[in-house]
Amino acid sequence: MILDQYGQPVTTRHEDAQDMQGGWQLTGGIGGPVTLPQQVRLLGALSRADTQRAAVVAWYLNPLLYGAVEVIKSFVLGTSVTYGDHPDKTVQAVTEQFWAANNFEALIERWFTEHLLLGENLTIWPDPKRFTRRDQAARIGQYGVIDGQLKFTTAPGLPDVVESIGIAGKRTLREGEYVWSAHDSLLNDVRGWPAVGRALGPALAYLNFINARTKVHELASRINAVYYAFAKDEKELNAKAGRFRNVPRNGAVLTLAQNQEGKREEFEFHIPDLKAQDSAVDAKLIKQLLAVALGLPEHYLAEGGGVTRTTADSMGEPARKSFQRRQRTVWNWLQATFRTELTRRYPDGTFTTKKGSRKRVSAAQVEFPFNFPSLQNEDLTALIAKINLVARERLASRQTMTAELGYDPKAESEKMTVEGEGLPTGKHPPPK
């Protein structure tokens, strides 16, 4: 008889067997398996809402998935994303007021977390019928997309271009009242899928694996010894076994029988062989599957293995490219959000793009200066050499170089001005 991790007999058929094949739905705990369609009907019964719920619950309860998401966030967002200076005073004022009114340092992290877990983000502005003031920054919100009763209207002949969004039958969002973002939207579908969706199966399998190992240890710890006894029937066997149920603390004499053929009863203390080394290999494979699903090297998940400094640098390069793509995703959302706010406040306005230039563009063409943490894997000497080269050849702005060194350009400029140790940004003499 073979027992499972709960001490129950294993049957040949187990309907609740869990595997690593993806999509999980909430069933009271962290999730149960979703019946996946066959490859030939790939988009069968897979539920977007169930996968989104499972991703959120797993982020709260599954330490492996939570840790992986936090690793991605730490690389993409760093300690914070900041904004720089824009040559147009109106654009700069709108940026500062809008940023302060909505606490974008915290909002960006929330938006990116929901992007990873849900794959969809709906940023909404106040109802223009109620909030009509254009001299104040609007307070925006993030609408819950799970069971949000969203109804999309697309352009005629363009099924993936959203024209309006109805929310819960109470309000219809028109152009200029929302920013919609969707991850992995394919096949003329305007909706998205969780960025961590493919990692849910391995994350849950890893937790189940650890729980199973714990159950094995618990079960093994309850078996102290194995007694091989002679007995004519079950009654005699139980009577012999009963002698060992209450052994005195100061010890007892162990008596074993011997039959006429000279064979003796045996008593062996149980020392389980749990194959810890084999289980470590299995656990590593599960974590590697999760790492592949999220585009992370294994050593980012506390799994060093045979990784050296040289191999870690080469393995980390694809991950850095992936982080840069995610930074671009956040950058695109910020651009769309701030352009929408600039259009709301100055619907017919035009703005300068360069200091001293007469060229003016509409709000839809303004590029706002946002600074993300550097993802370059360079030591300090190489970084300083690069900055010196860039400054000498005038290949980048001072704001970009300051951000590359890990400083907030606007904050440092203000501090230097207050302390009288430098000139405001843009007033510094060129490097020699």
Side-chain angles (χ1 to χ4, degrees), residues 177-375:
E177 300 176 22
Y178 70 93
V179 171
W180 171 252
S181 305
H183 174 75
D184 278 351
S185 55
L186 300 173
L187 304 177
N188 295 329
D189 185 8
V190 299
R191 302 295 301 271
W193 290 86
V196 301
R198 299 170 184 85
L200 293 178
L204 183 58
Y206 185 81
L207 196 62
N208 289 338
F209 179 81
I210 298 300
N211 289 337
R213 293 291 300 175
T214 302
K215 293 293 183 182
V216 169
H217 282 278
E218 180 185 352
L219 182 62
S221 66
R222 288 187 284 173
I223 302 176
N224 298 320
V226 178
Y227 176 35
Y228 301 91
F230 299 136
K232 294 179 296 185
D233 51 32
E234 185 176 355
K235 181 178 180 181
E236 183 180 356
L237 180 63
N238 291 334
K240 286 190 173 185
R243 295 183 297 165
F244 304 106
R245 289 176 185 159
N246 296 296
V247 179
R249 287 186 174 274
N250 57 354
V253 177
L254 179 62
T255 58
L256 299 176
Q258 178 176 314
N259 62 12
Q260 296 178 352
E261 299 175 356
K263 295 182 179 181
R264 300 177 181 178
E265 295 182 330
E266 297 181 9
F267 187 91
E268 296 179 357
F269 286 99
H270 181 56
I271 304 177
D273 182 7
L274 299 179
K275 303 295 183 183
Q277 192 64 32
D278 294 344
S279 67
V281 174
D282 295 338
K284 182 177 180 180
L285 289 175
I286 298 175
K287 290 178 72 174
Q288 285 177 337
L289 188 59
L290 180 136
V292 169
L294 296 177
L296 296 173
E298 59 177 315
H299 59 278
Y300 282 19
L301 299 177
E303 187 65 61
V307 179
T308 65
R309 175 63 185 271
T310 302
T311 57
D313 290 342
S314 60
M315 291 170 62
E317 186 59 29
R320 284 190 288 274
K321 297 295 184 183
S322 175
F323 295 148
Q324 288 173 343
R325 291 175 55 194
R326 296 188 189 279
Q327 284 185 339
R328 173 61 62 171
T329 298
V330 180
W331 186 87
N332 287 336
W333 169 71
L334 285 172
Q335 294 295 333
T337 301
F338 277 76
R339 286 170 181 170
T340 300
E341 173 65 6
L342 185 61
T343 302
R344 183 192 71 84
R345 295 186 61 176
Y346 300 94
D348 300 320
T350 57
F351 313 92
T352 58
T353 56
K354 295 181 180 180
K355 191 171 184 179
S357 174
R358 295 183 178 181
K359 181 181 179 180
R360 302 182 70 86
V361 297
S362 66
Q365 296 174 293
V366 171
E367 183 172 305
F368 293 82
F370 298 112
N371 304 309
F372 286 79
S374 174
L375 295 173

Side-chain angles (χ1 to χ4, degrees), residues 24 62 293 354:
W24 300 82
N62 190 301
K354 295 181 180 180

